[in-house]
Amino acid sequence: MRKPIVLLTTLALTLGSAGAVAAQDVWDGADELPTSPLACPGGEAPPPADAGEYDGGTVMNPVAEAGAEITLVDIPKLIGIGYFNATAQGTQEAAAELGNVTVINDGPTAANIDEQITFIDNYITQGVDGVLF
């Protein structure tokens, strides 16, 4: 209770008679270092880099496991409520569409972060390919 009173007192002392904060000098970093350490040499910014043409998102260096079976686990905050039931259904539909993906939907029955962390740890130990939470 003491901190709010001190804060209000400090705020009241810094307000001018018109209710505005008293004018202060611009903060310069409070040390000898420059306030803009990333300034460009020569004073001018370099021209923007050419982004090149969009290649359509072509995969570069695909992993050797491309097309392999993938197991994912979806661990929501808690299971058994409408929202997370809908996300579970969506992950199952996406997995069926992809064909090589298996999704396990599992999680605590109460909103308890410690239980969710336990589920995540257990599935990582089991060696799943990915964890959704």
Side-chain angles (χ1 to χ4, degrees):
M1 187 65 158
R2 182 173 219 158
K3 287 183 181 182
I5 294 171
V6 172
L7 178 63
L8 290 174
T9 304
T10 304
L11 180 61
L13 293 174
T14 59
L15 295 177
S17 60
V21 176
Q24 299 176 1
D25 292 334
V26 176
W27 184 65
D28 64 358
D31 53 30
E32 294 77 36
L33 298 174
T35 57
S36 182
L38 301 177
C40 296
E44 292 186 28
D50 181 26
E53 292 198 30
Y54 178 64
D55 64 0
T58 305
V59 176
M60 305 292 288
N61 304 321
V63 295
E65 291 85 17
E69 289 294 319
I70 298 172
T71 302
L72 304 174
V73 62
D74 177 23
I75 304 173
K77 187 174 188 173
L78 71 154
I79 59 173
I81 64 170
Y83 177 80
F84 293 121
N85 291 343
T87 60
Q89 180 181 350
T91 58
Q92 293 299 327
E93 291 173 3
E97 184 179 319
L98 292 169
N100 66 326
V101 177
T102 301
V103 177
I104 302 166
N105 299 100
D106 198 5
T109 56
N112 182 325
I113 188 68
D114 294 327
E115 287 185 39
Q116 188 181 25
I117 291 170
T118 300
F119 275 88
I120 293 168
D121 288 341
N122 289 341
Y123 279 105
I124 289 172
T125 302
Q126 292 177 26
V128 295
D129 297 302
V131 178
L132 313 167
F133 60 95

